[in-house]
């Protein structure tokens, strides 16, 4: 875990330096501003002053853009905030680390709500629908990375038929920075991520083999199906950026699979998520690794036999600012194991 924390802190320093070095020559936002977002037109008469970040990605993007003084609340945090954002985040009220209520959001008198997931603002959300915020005059924004079709997979997470890439994240950063009239900061953050992605793509298998990965988010119990990263989601992107592939061939964003299926996939590497939410025992990486190494059948998977099990921040398995951080965590550990150059 020390390795992971140092990687996060070091990566954050790059972003901070990028922001500090940015020119302020970027054109100011012209209001009223209208943005097409996930099938809706959203108009802003001025830059928000009382924003709520629903979901870790939305909150962390705003914090990375230096907008903590424009935020009145956050909610839904699978993992702890990035170390370099702790001080800024401490200035913002935490509503809950789980799903908030619509009433608790409105109690903050927000003038803007940004959501990381459709389960937070969406047609089937138990928190609120987008039209609920429209009725009270609060503009809303949903991460473009999670606006997925639910035709094939009948849940709020949906499926994607093409591999996610950072372009959708860059779109989100650019639009949020435009909404808040800090486009120069958005440009600097995007430039930093592009540089880091290019460096990661130089990490290839030490023996030239295209490594196969399974990304295990969590499970309610060892006997339950595992929640895995789908082939075209952020997990698939991480495998691709490291010169490999996702061993799970499902277009669902979050497929569930029994261990018989995972054993059949026989990945070269198993990436286990570290989650701070503490909902299930198997949210903890140590619990996952204990199961992998002690179950008679699962312990015969190639990755387990070769001790090619690495720990990654669980939030990185969502298409978020954490995805690059997660790829860096995986690369560092695989290099130490001699599996990547």
């Amino acid at each position: 875990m020390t390795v992971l924390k140092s990687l996060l802190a070091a990566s954050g320093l790059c972003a901070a330096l990028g922001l500090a070095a940015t020119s302020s020559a970027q054109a100011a936002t012209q209001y009223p501003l209208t943005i097409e977002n996930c099938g809706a037109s959203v108009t802003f008469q001025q830059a928000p002053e009382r924003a709520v970040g629903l979901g870790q990605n939305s909150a962390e993007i705003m914090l990375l853009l230096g907008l903590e003084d424009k935020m009145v609340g956050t909610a839904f945090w699978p993992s702890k905030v990035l170390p370099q954002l702790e001080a800024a985040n401490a200035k913002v009220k935490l509503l809950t680390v789980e799903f908030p209520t619509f009433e608790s959001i409105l109690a903050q008198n927000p003038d803007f709500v940004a959501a990381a997931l459709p389960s937070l603002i969406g047609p089937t959300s138990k928190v609120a629908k987008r039209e609920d915020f429209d009725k009270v005059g609060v503009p809303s924004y949903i991460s473009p990375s999670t606006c997925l079709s639910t035709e094939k997979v009948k849940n709020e997470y949906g499926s994607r038929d093409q591999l996610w890439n950072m372009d959708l994240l860059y779109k989100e950063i650019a639009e949020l920075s435009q909404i808040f009239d800090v486009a120069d900061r958005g440009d600097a953050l995007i430039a930093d991520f592009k540089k880091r992605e290019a460096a990661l793509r130089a990490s290839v298998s030490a023996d030239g083999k295209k490594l196969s990965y399974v990304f295990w988010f969590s499970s309610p119990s060892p006997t339950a199906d595992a929640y895995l990263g789908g082939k075209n989601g952020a997990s698939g992107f991480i495998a691709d950026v490291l010169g490999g592939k996702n061993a799970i061939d499902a277009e669902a964003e979050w497929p569930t699979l029994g261990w018989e299926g995972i054993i059949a996939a026989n990945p070269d590497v198993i990436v286990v998520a570290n989650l701070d939410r503490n909902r299930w025992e198997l949210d903890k990486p140590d619990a996952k690794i204990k199961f992998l190494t002690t179950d008679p059948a699962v312990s015969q998977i190639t990755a387990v036999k070769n001790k090619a099990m690495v720990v990654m921040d669980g939030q990185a398995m969502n298409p978020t600012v954490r995805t690059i951080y997660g790829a860096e965590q995986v690369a560092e550990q695989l290099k130490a194991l001699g599996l990547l150059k």
Side-chain angles (χ1 to χ4, degrees):
M1 292 304 295
T2 301
V3 172
L4 303 191
K5 289 180 179 177
S6 62
L7 274 168
L8 290 173
S11 299
L13 179 60
C14 294
L17 290 174
L19 288 174
T22 302
S23 166
S24 60
Q26 184 67 246
T29 300
Q30 299 298 308
Y31 300 98
L33 169 71
T34 298
I35 287 179
E36 298 300 319
N37 173 244
C38 294
S41 293
V42 188
T43 298
F44 299 84
Q45 299 299 329
Q46 61 186 30
E49 295 285 338
R50 299 184 59 81
V52 172
L54 291 182
Q56 187 158 356
N57 185 54
S58 300
E60 288 189 329
I61 290 177
M62 287 192 277
L63 292 171
L64 284 166
L65 292 174
L67 298 170
E68 59 271 17
D69 292 338
K70 307 294 183 181
M71 299 169 66
V72 293
T74 67
F76 199 74
W77 290 81
S79 302
K80 293 178 182 177
V81 70
L82 287 166
Q84 71 271 20
L85 297 177
E86 286 179 358
N89 188 52
K91 298 178 181 179
V92 184
K93 183 176 182 178
L94 173 64
L95 305 182
T96 174
V97 297
E98 288 285 356
F99 289 97
T101 64
F102 184 49
E103 292 74 18
S104 69
I105 299 168
L106 293 186
Q108 311 314 311
N109 191 27
D111 60 3
F112 174 57
V113 175
L117 296 165
S119 55
L120 293 160
I121 300 180
T124 62
S125 173
K126 295 179 181 179
V127 178
K129 311 296 189 290
R130 197 162 200 175
E131 52 266 31
D132 294 329
F133 287 103
D134 291 341
K135 289 175 183 177
V136 294
V138 177
S140 62
Y141 181 92
I142 303 175
S143 169
S145 290
T146 60
C147 292
L148 302 178
S149 169
T150 58
E151 289 299 314
K152 295 180 181 178
V153 179
K154 303 299 183 180
N155 63 35
E156 66 265 51
Y157 301 111
S159 64
R160 65 177 88 229
D161 55 12
Q162 293 184 338
L163 183 64
W164 178 83
N165 62 54
M166 296 287 284
D167 288 346
L168 284 172
L169 178 66
Y170 299 151
K171 174 181 173 69
E172 183 173 9
I173 293 171
E175 288 181 339
L176 286 173
S177 64
Q178 187 181 20
I179 289 167
F180 283 92
D181 194 18
V182 290
D184 54 341
R185 301 180 197 176
D187 286 348
L189 190 57
I190 291 168
D192 178 66
F193 280 130
K194 286 183 175 180
K195 181 178 180 181
R196 288 158 61 186
E197 179 182 349
L200 280 167
R201 289 197 178 278
S203 301
V204 295
S205 173
D207 62 5
K209 177 184 177 182
K210 193 169 186 176
L211 298 172
S212 63
Y213 294 77
V214 160
F215 293 79
W216 181 15
F217 188 75
S218 194
S219 305
S221 71
T223 58
D225 289 355
Y227 284 88
L228 306 174
K231 73 170 184 177
N232 289 327
S235 297
F237 168 79
I238 292 173
D240 180 74
V241 84
L242 298 180
K245 63 178 182 179
N246 194 333
I248 303 304
D249 190 26
E251 292 184 355
E253 187 75 345
W254 290 106
T256 54
L257 190 64
W259 283 99
E260 297 84 356
I262 299 172
I263 291 169
N266 196 30
D268 299 306
V269 178
I270 297 178
V271 181
V272 301
N274 177 42
L275 299 168
D276 296 312
R277 65 184 188 179
N278 203 28
R279 183 182 299 172
W280 300 321
E281 177 63 22
L282 285 168
D283 285 348
K284 302 172 184 175
D286 290 348
K288 290 186 180 77
I289 291 173
K290 181 179 179 180
F291 168 73
L292 291 171
T293 54
T294 58
D295 182 88
V298 175
S299 61
Q300 299 309 301
I301 295 175
T302 296
V304 181
K305 290 169 68 175
N306 292 340
K307 296 182 170 55
M309 298 166 288
V310 299
V311 180
M312 185 180 79
D313 169 33
Q315 175 67 352
M317 292 186 191
N318 285 309
T320 65
V321 289
R322 289 291 186 104
T323 301
I324 281 291
Y325 292 92
E328 289 167 342
Q329 291 171 6
V330 172
E332 186 74 10
Q333 292 168 82
L334 292 183
K335 287 176 183 177
L337 292 170
L339 294 175
L340 289 185
K341 290 182 180 178

